[in-house]
Amino acid sequence: MLSEGKNCSLRPRASLLKSGRGYGEPAGSITLRNQRGSCIIRVATCSTQRTPTQEKSYVTHAVHTGSPDLHSTLQDAYRAFQAKGLKLNLTRGKPSPAQLDLSAELLSLPGRTGAYAEDATDCRNYGGLQGLAEARRLFSGILGAPPEQVVVANNSSLALMHDTVVYSLLKGTCDSALPWSRQGEIAFLCPVPGYDRHFKICADYGIRMIPVALRENGPDMDEVESLVAQDSSIKGMWCVPKYSNPTGAVYSDAVIERLAAMKTAAPDFRLYWDNAYAVHHLTEERIAIANILELSERHGHPNRPLIFASTSKITLAGAGLALFASSKENVKWLLARFTPRTIGPDKINQLRHVLFLKDEEGILRLMDEHRSLLAPKFQAVLEVFASKLAHVADLSWTRPKGGYFISLDVPKGCARRVVALAKQAGIELTPAGATHPHGNDPEDRTIRIAPTFPDLSEVAQAAEGVAICVLLADAEKLPAHISRTRASAEAVAGHGSDAGRLRPAEPA
Ligand code: PMP
């Protein structure tokens, strides 16, 4: 059984920190023992780097010491976890019941006699395509647009994104010579890892997806600029600029400015600016990002950004409001598309949100309450990963400052196996590959962890189970002669390539 305490001295992170060495410096060795206390593997010179949101550990030298084999010890740990018969779910980023309870008051608003808007509109009736003025004012600061450039719609911003893509395909944007569907093959840039439902929209309508690397401060802009400058079939790009799904990346001001300023071969190119986590902070720092609408206008591309957000993870995920903001021209275009589709949105829901949230300060106060429920769950996962996985070569995870996910990059080629092992141990994880277009993660390494829905003790247990599955999947990939005989393994420091994996070397 692999565990902390007297049976196992696997506490690399703690010892690194206690030793007082700086990140990136040689840090000595760690030893992994089995239940009987005999040494299975000794890992030497563990050099660790920490970036603001990402924990990475690079094992530079590992020596198997000839004890009973690592693989069977991990199998014991796995079977012991399986025997608990748990049913845990870390798949979708849903708010927990306790979070939904924070907005319970919504269910009794606006009351039997209060269905009138500030301009005396009877909210029970048809009309008001753009949404109530007071609702547009309420969200204008969060969206970074004046109220007249805001649209408040029914539940689900994803539906709004979907519809906007479809309208562009069928009718074209206000800058299109022809509908996108009559311009030959069209493509979207897809920062990866990214949100599977964005990719699903493209997949469903035959839009080619071009993956671009998402870094800690946003997409790789050299790659983005060069692609959009040459290829007029690239009509759009998915962006989750703050606390992105799933890595938690926050686009830097410099990246946002480049997105606003870049030259695109397509005159009707659009940034699908999905600011789903605009106010979903996990720390006391309320991170603010640059205003894409203002910057795009300043750089001569006022119609480029289509900004989306929602109250799904502010109030009630199944009964929220979807939000849209853009240039005056794009708002006019969208409302023209709405006209044949609907006579108006659910204004009662808009009114109850205004009455409940009151103003932007009210939203931020509510989000502080969400944070107090969510931050301990994220912390629990991060603590388990730090204590169980810090020694594993070629493995990293993100430490998001907001949003709903942690992204775990397991050693190359292991993600599917980890998800399958977890399933057999009662833990549902998002399918491996979901973070990439067509479910194809070419390195088979990214796993999205969603800690929000289960309660705190379940989250910690699930993270323990995931860690065991990762260790087992990794051990299974070691060549048999390494895991079964006295041998040594050497790995060169590195990340994102084969370089950090344990490799056979001279016998010790
Ligand atoms: N965008 C992102 C990036 C998300 O993570 C989610 C929910 N997981 C959504 C949109 C869905 O938002 P809504 O409920 O408003 O459709």
Side-chain angles (χ1 to χ4, degrees), residues 4-16:
E4 284 187 80
K6 62 177 189 275
N7 290 335
C8 177
S9 57
L10 182 59
R11 285 184 228 101
R13 178 72 50 215
S15 63
L16 280 176

Side-chain angles (χ1 to χ4, degrees), residues 44-127:
T45 318
C46 180
S47 145
T48 305
Q49 292 183 351
R50 183 180 284 180
T51 57
T53 60
Q54 198 153 35
E55 189 89 19
K56 297 176 179 173
S57 67
Y58 302 130
V59 176
T60 57
H61 189 97
V63 179
H64 286 260
T65 58
S67 58
D69 86 59
L70 171 65
H71 185 218
S72 65
T73 304
L74 288 167
Q75 274 181 325
D76 288 349
Y78 178 70
R79 282 193 211 101
F81 187 87
Q82 247 180 341
K84 293 183 187 173
L86 302 170
K87 281 260 156 288
L88 304 165
N89 192 315
L90 292 182
T91 55
R92 301 235 67 97
K94 291 205 292 191
S96 66
Q99 286 178 269
L100 300 174
D101 286 346
L102 297 174
S103 297
E105 198 187 327
L106 275 178
L107 301 180
S108 51
L109 289 170
R112 285 177 68 91
T113 55
Y116 296 91
E118 63 186 16
D119 64 356
T121 296
D122 184 340
C123 294
R124 299 168 301 178
N125 222 324
Y126 276 141

